[in-house]
Structures are given as C-alpha cells and as structure tokens.
Amino acid sequence: MPRHVIRHGQVIGDIWQVLVPREGESPATAALPEGPLAVSLDVWKARREELLARSSPVGVRLEPADDPAQIAGDLPRLALVAVNFPKLADGRGYSTGYLLRRRYGYRGELRAVGDVLRDQLFYLARSGFDAFQLREGADAHAALPSLRDFSEAYQSAGDARAPHFRRRAAPAGAAS
Amino acid sequence: MYRYDAIDRSLVAERVAQFRDQTRRHLAGELSEDDFRPLRLQNGLYVQRHSPMLRIAIPYGLLSSAQLRKLARIARVYDRGYGHFTTRQNLQYNWPRLAQAPEILAELAEVGMHAIQTSGNCIRNITTDHFAGVAPDEHVDPRALAEILRQWSTFHPEFAYLPRKFKIALSGAATDRAATLLHDIGLYALKNAEGELGLRVIVGGGMGRTPIIGHVVREFLPWRDMLTYLEAILRVYNRHGRRDNLYKSRIKILVKALGVDAFRAQVEAEWEHLRGTESTLTDGELARVSAHFAPPSYEPPGDEDQALAFQLAADRAFERWFRRNVHPHRQPGYRAVTLSLKKTGVPPGDVTADQMDLVADLADRHSFGELRVSHEQNLILADVRERDLLALWRRAREAGLATPNVGLLTNIVCCPGGDFCALANAKSIPVAEAIQRRFDDLDYLHDIGELDLNISGCMNSCGHHHIGHIGILGVDKNGSEWYQVSIGGEQGINAALGEVIGPSFAAAEMPGVVEGLVEAYLAHRTGDERFVDTVHRIGIAPFKARVYGEKREAAHA
C-alpha cells in the first residue's frame, strides 16, 4: 500500500523517497534512488550539484538540530523540505518551520515527518507546515478535522497570520 | 478586570471540545498514555498519588466573585468540597476523575476560565503582584501587560513543546511581590527619565534543583517591543535548550552554559529580525486592554472613616488583624485586605467550597466583586472601604479566614507534598502544622515579627523554600523522609537564596529546630531588625551552633 500524506488539507499518495545514510554509510557514496528524492543535510552538502542536475524534484530532510540557515540559499530549488520529529515532545522543528517560512521565505512543500499525530497538526500548520506524514499506522483521514481545532489565534507565527490585535477594528485615534 | 470577548470565548470553547475528544479517544484506547500525557498536561491534568490533579489557571491571580462561586461549585460537585491555592496563583483540585475533566473544563468556560497551559513544557500562567493597581509603591500597573502576555502565550504554536516548563512573572512596584528575579523570564516594569514605559528583562532565574537569581538581559526594553523580544528569547531557548536531561533543560541552564553575555548576543541577534515587525505592540492595543483595568468607582472619603481609629483602639484582636492583614492603598479611605488561608490545622492554601462562597459574598459586598490570589497562597480583597473593615473582619473570622499572621512565621508557604503529590520526597503539610502549633502564642508570634517560612516536599521547590527566611526541603534518604533547613533566603527586589545550615532532621525535630533558630535570632537581633536581616548581618554560624549544639553531633549526615 502506498504511503499517504496530508497536503493542503487532503490525504494524497506520497511520491517522495527519502535518503538518510545508514550507520557507517558515507553520504558521498550512498546510492541515490530514481524519482523525487529528499536527502539528509549531510548528503545534500556532499552531493548538492549532483542532486540539482537530476531531472526529478529534490528535497532536503532536516533533523531537529539542523540549522535551516544551511539550506537558505537553496530553497528556491527545493520542492520539499521535510522536518523530522523523532519524538513528539521535541519541539525544535516548530522553530525550524517558522524560520524556513518567515525568515528564509521558503514557499515549497514543508512537511512534518516522524512522530507526528493528529493532536499536533494545528500547531504545526500554524508554524508553517502544509504537509504532514503521520506516524506509521495513524489514520490520516481521521486526522483531518484536527487542522481546524481552533478558528482564531492571538499571536503571529510561522503561518504569517497577523496577530489578532492588528486585525481588530482599531479604535479611532489609535496609532502604532 | 479583563472580560472575555468573542474571540476569547470561542478559543476556550474550542479547547474544551478538543480536549473532550482527546479524552474520549484516550479512554477508548485509541490514544496511548504516552501520547495523551502532553495533551492532558497542557490542560492541567496530572496523575497523582490518589487520583488525577486538575490545576485551574487564574491569570495573574485575578478572580471575579462569579468565578470563585463556580470554583466552589466544582469543588462540591466534582471534588471533595475544597480546593488548594498554589504559589503560582492557581487553584488545584486533588480529587477529580479523569472522565469528568472535560465537564469541569466546560463549566469553567462558562465563566471565562480554563486549565490551559497550567502544566507541560510550555509557557505557563503569567503571574504578577497581588496588589497590582492598588499598591502605593507601584509605578506601573502590570495587569494590562500581563493580559497581553496571556493572550500571546495562549496556544503559541511554536512554543508548546519547549525543553521544559516556562514561567513568566511581571511586577511594577518598588517592592517586587512577583519574584521576577526567580522566573524563567521576569519583567520589571519601570519608567525612564523621559517618562516612557519599559521593562527590565531578567532571564534564567529559578528555584528547583539548581536555584539561580536571574540575569538582567536588558535594562530597559520599550514596552512596544515586549512580544518580539520574548519571541526572540523563546526561540533561542526552544532551539538550543538542552533536551537530553530533565534536570538541565530549564532556560537558566542554557544561560549559565553560554554565559549571560553570549546568551544576550544570541537573543539580540534573533531580535534584530523581529524588531518592528507586526507583533510590535500598539498604543491602541495597550489602551484597549488597559481599559479593562480602570480603577473602580471609589467613593470619596467621608467622616465615618474616622470610626476606624476608635474601632482599633476598642478591640485588640481587630487591631492585631489590622496590623498584619490590612495593607495600604493608594486611594484615601480604602485598604487591601488579606484573607489568610493559613489557619493552624488547615493545610496552607486550602479553602473549602463554603469559604469560597463566603469570600465571593465579601468581594461583592466590600470589594467591587473581585479578588486576587497571592503567591503566598492567601486571598486578597484589594479595594475595601476602611469603614467596612470591622464588619468584614467579623465575617472572615467566623469563617476561619482572619488568622492575623500575614508576614509572620505561621503564614507558611507550603506545597501539597507527599500527602498528594507523586513527585514529593517527603510530606510537607504535617510539618507545617506541627510548626504552626508550636508557635500558637500570638504575642510571641508578633514579637518575632516578619518571618517567611517556606516548605517544599521535594527539589521542584513548589513551596519556594529557597527564598524562605527559613526554608525547609523534604529529602529522601534510603526511603525515609528527612528535612533540610536553609536560612537567609529572601524574596523581592533583593532576592537571595537561603544557605543550608547542615545535616537534615527528622519530621518530629522540626518544630524544635525552628524554635532554636528563632531563639538565636531573638538573642542577636538589634532594634527592629527582621530575622533575615540578622542572618545576613551575623551569618549562619550562631544559628547553626544553637540548633546543632544541642544535638551534639550530626547524626543524620
């Protein structure tokens, strides 16, 4: 059965393959599978030219400790940035999402992968993620309503919604 | 006080619906305990010794009488008829049932209350001065900024899975009653020479296992930059705080590891990207929120206010209560009143449903329908007409809420400890009670004067023992309960951490130990010096000699 992801609020089949070198495997020599491929940051750094020369889309998969500044200049050429959440409670990826969207202007698919469950979707979406690959075995269709858990938000975040106080009808004479 | 608008109401209602569904899935076996844990924690539910514990948020300690009546009703219907006020100005129920938690939250939502982010590794309830808006020594009323912070931190999507819990306190008075030096972030509001409002930003203070006084990261931050600057601090912490060791993951450890200058440089570099962006506060927003905290319609002073002097002269017990539990007010003819939750024999901070109803009535009758919770676990009626004090005192005394001990040794700050808390190493409530019983002579108690005594049942320091003039910490040694004593801690603008006097004691020894410390103080004090001042002047040696001299040698080293 093909894997599924949630993208833009719909469950779709996943076309991407992921290359993360195994223990002892060199990023410089690991075999690159055909088709759309997302690679770990070390592979990206070692094989950037080779990957960009391929005809199929390329992406990068970041771990919680990876600094997204390292791929900031490449973002226009990446069709996917996946951010791994090895543990649900490790919230570093939320800041990664914010930085990719708001600081580095990334506009492609931003996908949360790993230990991701429906109960995290709303915050992930607000942090700039537009795609979600749930933990193995989780029901993606059942998760969709969680994207709409809240109708409003007070503060600005990775999704670039203005803070609520800026969207209120400003009282007469109010200046910033 | 702040009144919910449509947005606040819908967010809280949506939270109830979300948690109801999560609880249902958990009880149906669709959501494992591991996956449910962070969700229930961010809704205030702990699993305790006997049952879940539900912690209700009381934003910056402010309550309406209608909210307090709702808390009383919940205590009766879903709990065992009482609740416990905490050192973070919240309320805890010790006996709710997990399956009923969504119902409780739905009832709370009816009066604009919730349990959002009262636990978990997120930004917790914002705390502030319990005399905010009425204290004569206040230069900035912190409540509007506290409410703005409440909104900003509520459901902040980026900072819900931080390395560890995150506590923010705000103060704007000469006496810092919010312990801003001992929080993850302390904000001390002040005005500069031009009269502009700003904040001293203090980061990395805290108690717990590694008590540290916070570092000033910015001396004067213009108030409009409050949210962007906090966002910068939180982002640096979220990305770089340690996640490999529970005991080293608070922001204070990050600040210590980097050094405050390097930490500040990282924050400032992050802030350069954020300064002036859309989260920069506006005059309009501050004005809108401040309007919720406009002073009530005070009556001008009248002749009848003169009666107070006669009433005080005529009744010694009333005079004693007035001296300890009644506080100055900036409005002539008004006072702030502490209703003590520190009656001997009652666990500190505990209050029954009937007492809550009575306090709600007193608030309606005498204090514009509002009250506050103090971080010393008492209740405050902030706007009481002087001529009402005698009537108020009589009703409070009948209800056991007028123990005249604010600032005194028996006003013990105490966590629930080993009787309830799953984290505790030792019981704290019975130790508090034994000490209160030893000091039940009011004249003696008043002669000793100001003395903060704090008890924590474990290193998590919920009883704030590090800043007690006398601090008591429950420790576990080979499966039995012992108590370590420190002296010289202090809260406020000159916050200091207490120093441990030596090997720990058995519970039964504790009243005698405190008595020994007090006797040493009385033997050395000069003038109107407080206990803690004497400790700072002469050091801990004379106290140590007094306490351990009798024991001859430290049997429990």
Side-chain angles (χ1 to χ4, degrees):
Chain A
M1 202 179 92
R3 277 177 313 153
H4 287 96
V5 292
I6 298 169
R7 176 106 204 266
H8 294 154
Q10 308 223 308
V11 180
I12 57 169
D14 183 17
I15 59 165
W16 287 87
Q17 300 196 66
V18 176
L19 173 64
V20 177
R22 287 188 198 82
E23 187 101 359
E25 194 178 13
S26 162
T29 56
L32 303 178
E34 291 301 307
L37 178 66
V39 300
S40 58
L41 185 60
D42 53 355
V43 173
W44 176 254
K45 288 201 272 195
R47 320 270 290 271
R48 184 173 170 278
E49 301 308 322
E50 185 185 348
L51 285 157
L52 285 172
R54 287 157 56 109
S55 57
S56 50
V58 289
V60 170
R61 188 178 107 142
L62 298 176
E63 297 300 318
D66 290 342
D67 186 351
Q70 301 211 25
I71 56 167
D74 294 326
L75 290 172
R77 282 180 275 189
L78 297 177
L80 173 75
V81 177
V83 177
N84 187 30
F85 292 79
K87 279 191 304 194
L88 187 150
D90 187 337
R92 286 175 286 182
Y94 294 85
S95 287
T96 306
Y98 170 90
L99 290 169
L100 285 166
R101 289 291 192 215
R102 301 293 302 277
R103 186 137 320 147
Y104 306 123
Y106 177 60
R107 292 175 173 273
E109 177 175 343
L110 182 56
R111 183 187 291 192
V113 304
D115 200 16
V116 174
L117 290 177
R118 61 185 278 185
D119 299 295
Q120 283 75 49
L121 292 192
F122 183 83
Y123 285 173
L124 286 168
R126 286 226 58 218
S127 296
F129 292 88
D130 60 355
F132 314 92
Q133 189 174 317
L134 301 186
R135 182 201 289 168
E136 188 94 20
D139 182 344
H141 287 280
L144 290 178
S146 299
L147 285 165
R148 297 185 300 275
D149 273 352
F150 298 98
S151 56
E152 256 299 349
Y154 290 119
Q155 64 293 95
S156 101
D159 62 355
R161 196 163 9 169
H164 190 259
F165 70 83
R166 295 240 173 219
R167 290 179 282 120
R168 279 175 199 278
S176 66
Chain B
M1 67 187 283
Y2 183 76
R3 305 280 170 193
Y4 271 20
D5 66 11
I7 303 301
D8 302 309
R9 275 192 294 275
S10 68
L11 282 173
V12 170
E14 285 163 355
R15 176 61 148 205
V16 172
Q18 183 194 44
F19 188 61
R20 198 188 287 280
D21 183 56
Q22 290 164 343
T23 305
R24 179 193 63 72
R25 282 187 276 133
H26 173 63
L27 292 173
E30 297 166 30
L31 189 60
S32 73
E33 172 55 27
D34 278 352
D35 295 335
F36 184 54
R37 187 181 303 115
L39 308 176
R40 66 166 165 76
L41 287 176
Q42 301 218 7
N43 286 286
L45 263 174
Y46 281 79
V47 170
Q48 289 293 39
R49 278 179 200 243
H50 310 291
S51 85
M53 180 272 278
L54 181 61
R55 182 181 291 152
I56 311 301
I58 301 175
Y60 36 92
L62 215 50
L63 275 174
S64 71
S65 55
Q67 290 174 328
L68 187 59
R69 287 194 184 93
K70 178 61 90 176
L71 294 174
R73 178 190 140 75
I74 290 169
R76 280 194 194 95
V77 174
Y78 301 95
D79 205 277
R80 297 190 178 175
Y82 71 99
H84 171 78
F85 286 105
T86 76
T87 50
R88 291 199 44 80
Q89 303 180 300
N90 289 320
L91 179 102
Q92 293 178 180
Y93 292 116
N94 283 315
W95 306 95
R97 275 189 284 280
L98 172 60
Q100 290 186 322
E103 267 330 294
I104 297 173
L105 297 181
E107 289 220 18
L108 288 170
E110 292 170 15
V111 292
M113 296 188 78
H114 56 75
I116 294 164
Q117 291 168 215
T118 55
S119 180
N121 294 335
C122 52
I123 304 173
R124 303 287 189 87
N125 187 32
I126 311 295
T127 54
T128 193
D129 186 347
H130 49 263
F131 293 138
V134 305
D137 69 339
E138 180 176 274
H139 39 265
V140 178
D141 181 347
R143 291 174 298 174
L145 292 175
E147 171 58 25
I148 288 169
L149 282 174
R150 179 194 74 80
Q151 297 189 15
W152 171 77
S153 59
T154 298
F155 306 148
H156 198 302
E158 191 181 336
F159 307 130
Y161 295 96
L162 295 167
R164 199 80 174 83
K165 58 189 170 184
F166 204 91
K167 299 175 179 179
I168 303 175
L170 195 60
S171 170
T175 303
D176 175 9
R177 283 172 289 261
T180 57
L181 287 165
L182 290 153
H183 279 76
D184 294 288
I185 295 180
L187 299 171
Y188 186 78
L190 65 171
K191 290 192 170 157
N192 66 9
E194 287 73 48
E196 294 158 338
L197 173 60
L199 299 157
R200 179 183 300 145
V201 182
I202 301 151
V203 182
M207 293 187 249
R209 193 169 294 261
T210 316
I212 298 179
I213 303 284
H215 305 273
V216 176
V217 166
R218 229 175 202 265
E219 197 51 54
F220 188 86
L221 178 77
W223 67 272
R224 288 182 191 82
D225 299 320
M226 177 173 75
L227 299 184
T228 52
Y229 203 81
L230 259 54
E231 184 178 331
I233 294 171
L234 265 297
R235 185 164 299 125
V236 168
Y237 172 56
N238 190 41
R239 296 184 68 203
H240 304 299
R242 281 181 67 171
R243 291 172 184 267
D244 59 329
N245 181 338
L246 188 68
Y247 302 122
K248 296 186 187 301
S249 46
R250 295 287 289 269
I251 195 172
K252 62 191 172 190
I253 305 294
L254 178 66
V255 175
K256 201 174 153 193
L258 290 173
V260 66
D261 292 329
F263 174 79
R264 179 188 297 115
Q266 286 198 21
V267 169
E268 294 277 331
E270 176 63 32
W271 187 51
E272 274 310 306
H273 296 284
L274 303 173
R275 121 188 248 180
T277 56
E278 77 280 6
S279 295
T280 304
L281 287 165
T282 61
D283 291 351
E285 176 63 358
L286 184 62
R288 182 186 75 83
V289 179
S290 296
H292 288 275
F293 301 99
S297 41
Y298 294 120
E299 290 170 35
D303 292 343
E304 59 274 44
D305 292 304
Q306 315 263 331
L308 181 62
F310 297 105
Q311 291 163 348
L312 290 170
D315 191 325
R316 177 119 194 274
F318 177 57
E319 192 271 339
R320 184 135 55 187
W321 177 78
F322 178 85
R323 197 144 35 97
R324 295 307 331 174
N325 295 28
V326 176
H327 318 281
H329 198 290
R330 63 167 62 153
Q331 182 70 20
Y334 282 81
R335 301 278 179 158
V337 170
T338 297
L339 298 173
S340 170
L341 303 183
K342 305 299 175 64
K343 188 182 167 173
T344 299
V346 178
D350 273 16
V351 58
T352 67
D354 290 347
Q355 286 175 321
M356 288 191 238
D357 279 338
L358 176 90
V359 173
D361 287 345
L362 293 176
D364 280 339
R365 186 180 295 246
H366 299 297
S367 198
F368 300 95
E370 293 182 11
L371 65 144
R372 292 105 183 273
V373 183
S374 78
H375 76 278
E376 293 183 338
Q377 304 172 287
N378 291 313
L379 297 177
I380 312 280
L381 298 178
D383 297 290
V384 180
R385 195 82 201 250
E386 283 182 352
R387 65 168 185 230
D388 291 350
L389 287 171
L390 184 62
L392 170 62
W393 170 68
R394 286 184 174 139
R395 290 195 64 195
R397 191 170 60 158
E398 280 167 28
L401 297 169
T403 311
N405 61 352
V406 174
L408 302 182
L409 188 151
T410 59
N411 181 37
I412 296 174
V413 172
C414 178
C415 69
D419 291 299
F420 295 97
C421 180
L423 302 172
N425 289 325
K427 294 188 180 66
S428 48
I429 293 169
V431 173
E433 182 177 342
I435 294 168
Q436 286 172 328
R437 291 202 185 285
R438 183 66 63 97
F439 289 88
D440 64 349
D441 179 334
L442 276 175
D443 289 321
Y444 185 48
L445 194 61
H446 282 252
D447 178 47
I448 296 165
E450 267 187 51
L451 202 162
D452 292 346
L453 199 156
N454 296 52
I455 306 177
S456 303
C458 77
M459 265 304 188
N460 289 302
S461 316
C462 297
H464 298 176
H465 65 277
H466 295 298
I467 55 168
H469 299 171
I470 298 175
I472 298 172
L473 167 66
V475 291
D476 173 271
K477 286 191 182 175
N478 306 320
S480 59
E481 301 184 355
W482 295 94
Y483 296 87
Q484 188 183 72
V485 176
S486 56
I487 59 174
E490 191 170 8
Q491 55 178 331
I493 214 101
N494 299 313
L497 302 169
E499 193 177 343
V500 176
I501 61 169
S504 49
F505 304 94
E509 296 176 283
M510 285 312 300
V513 170
V514 174
E515 204 165 41
L517 292 171
V518 167
E519 283 165 11
Y521 155 63
L522 294 176
H524 288 93
R525 84 167 158 195
T526 56
D528 55 1
E529 194 174 54
R530 299 173 307 158
F531 176 90
V532 68
D533 302 325
T534 305
V535 176
H536 289 160
R537 181 171 57 79
I538 67 177
I540 68 170
F543 294 89
K544 215 168 153 164
R546 176 70 182 75
V547 170
Y548 291 100
E550 292 167 1
K551 285 170 71 92
R552 240 180 277 159
E553 73 181 35
H556 318 297

